[in-house]
Amino acid sequence: MQAQKTSSESLARYRLKKLLDMLKSKGGRGTQLISLYIPPGRRISDVIAMLRQEYGTAANIKSDTTRKNVQDAIVRVMQRLKLFKETPENGLVIFCGAIPRSGPGTERLETYVVIPPEPINVYLYRCDSRFYVEPLEELLKEKEAYGIIVMDAESATYAILRGRRLEIVKHITSGVPGKHHKGGQSARRFQRLREMKLLNYFARVGKHANEIFLKVPDLKGIIIAGPGPTKYDFAERDYLDYRLKQKVVAILDTAYTEEFGVREVVEKAPEIIAKVRYVEEKKLMQKFLYHIGHDTGLAVYGESEVRRCLKMGAVDTLLISEGLDLIRVVIRCSSCGYEEARLLKAREVPKLESSLPYRPCPKCGQTTLRVESKEELVEDLARLAEEMGTRVEIISTATEEGQMLKETFGGVAGILRFAPSF
Ligand SMILES: [Zn+2]
């Protein structure tokens, strides 16, 4: 269950990021690109009524071209909306506008309908010279929570970091005296008492941590920080509940304690959070490499092998490199039905397309080859995987293992449920 969730997550994020990059690259002439955000629960008929009003308002636009483009776009958006009986459960986002192909007068109306991977709680209509993608970009930010404990021998501060939102939850003081005694009692007795008080304080630090962090949903990790060695003494003992201890992802040095110390941790957090995902990616890749190394027959790689196993439903986990930028082009002969698939870099596609009319079909010899379909290999494989209930993981090239996936294994690999017999 947990695995299934992460799988669609890395794929959904990858897809959304690609889409947003594409939308950001589009610019209109003047303010004529429409962005429409509809939150879950909003009635489609209400939205259409609002758009009718916007259509009326747009009649006041002075420039003939801009007015026409905006009104055309509004009409197109309304047409698209009518295809929905109701707003999808995560809401709906539509981008529409006239995008210039090259010079002036080459604008063409483009429409993008996005169903967000998570609920989008914004109701907004905007007409601008660019598409407004920020609310969707917010969804790409990390949502998982991290617990932070900043401590030294004097105090401990607890905080929860979720996305960019930081909440300082609690602060306790230790009551432990400083390291050096000022006389009166023997040095040994002083040290023994101090040690006891310190352990007592550790127990309190752990007790509060358990109370605070065990009930945080989606807690991804715990970061322990602070100046000096006290945090290590605490971390290596068993004062934290074992479920939390398993989640300690970093122990950091900070210059300060209390809120300033927490702020220091937050500054370093993006790096730590990225590392947590890298560890997940490394583990997945190591599992694949284990099967390769031990020749268990439960690992495959390379586009054609993986595709074959996917179609058989034999793949448990599909590993796709983020660095895989190949387009799968299917060529078909309209005379004899001959078909072949090619993997090309995006920039090589136009060259192939323009050469096709001159190339005789290898089967019938006619010059009737056409591009039947072209799709990014990632999307093509991911769709196949989803149909077969295969978990999909997009693996970055940030780790050594991720580099290996890209360079050594052709960017596509699979861990199998069973060894297929071909
Ligand atoms: Zn042919």
Side-chain angles (χ1 to χ4, degrees), residues 19 22-23 26 93-96 110-114 131:
L19 174 74
M22 186 269 290
L23 288 170
K26 309 267 180 192
V93 187
I94 301 181
F95 300 99
C96 182
E110 294 183 18
T111 315
Y112 302 92
V113 178
V114 184
F131 289 128

Side-chain angles (χ1 to χ4, degrees), residues 48-61:
I48 288 179
M50 180 274 288
L51 287 171
R52 281 210 185 93
Q53 262 188 336
E54 290 294 342
Y55 186 90
T57 312
N60 301 322
I61 297 173

Side-chain angles (χ1 to χ4, degrees), residues 12-29:
R13 293 171 69 84
Y14 170 85
R15 282 180 171 154
L16 186 58
K17 189 173 179 308
K18 277 238 138 158
L19 174 74
L20 295 183
D21 286 347
M22 186 269 290
L23 288 170
K24 280 195 279 189
S25 72
K26 309 267 180 192
R29 261 163 220 292

Side-chain angles (χ1 to χ4, degrees), residues 333 335-336 338 361 363-364:
C333 170
S335 305
C336 72
Y338 167 83
C361 164
K363 197 173 159 198
C364 72

Side-chain angles (χ1 to χ4, degrees), residues 356-395:
L356 275 187
Y358 310 102
R359 253 190 59 199
C361 164
K363 197 173 159 198
C364 72
Q366 306 249 53
T367 48
T368 42
L369 292 171
R370 302 276 178 275
V371 169
E372 174 85 357
S373 66
K374 51 182 174 182
E375 188 175 23
E376 278 193 50
L377 183 58
V378 176
E379 282 303 326
D380 176 54
L381 291 174
R383 192 166 24 92
L384 198 54
E386 283 175 331
E387 281 167 19
M388 304 310 280
T390 295
R391 163 184 175 192
V392 183
E393 292 282 357
I394 306 288
I395 306 289

Side-chain angles (χ1 to χ4, degrees), residues 138-150:
E138 272 304 307
L139 295 186
L140 280 179
K141 301 228 171 81
E142 291 294 342
K143 289 291 183 316
E144 287 142 341
Y146 285 80
I148 299 172
I149 306 171
V150 174

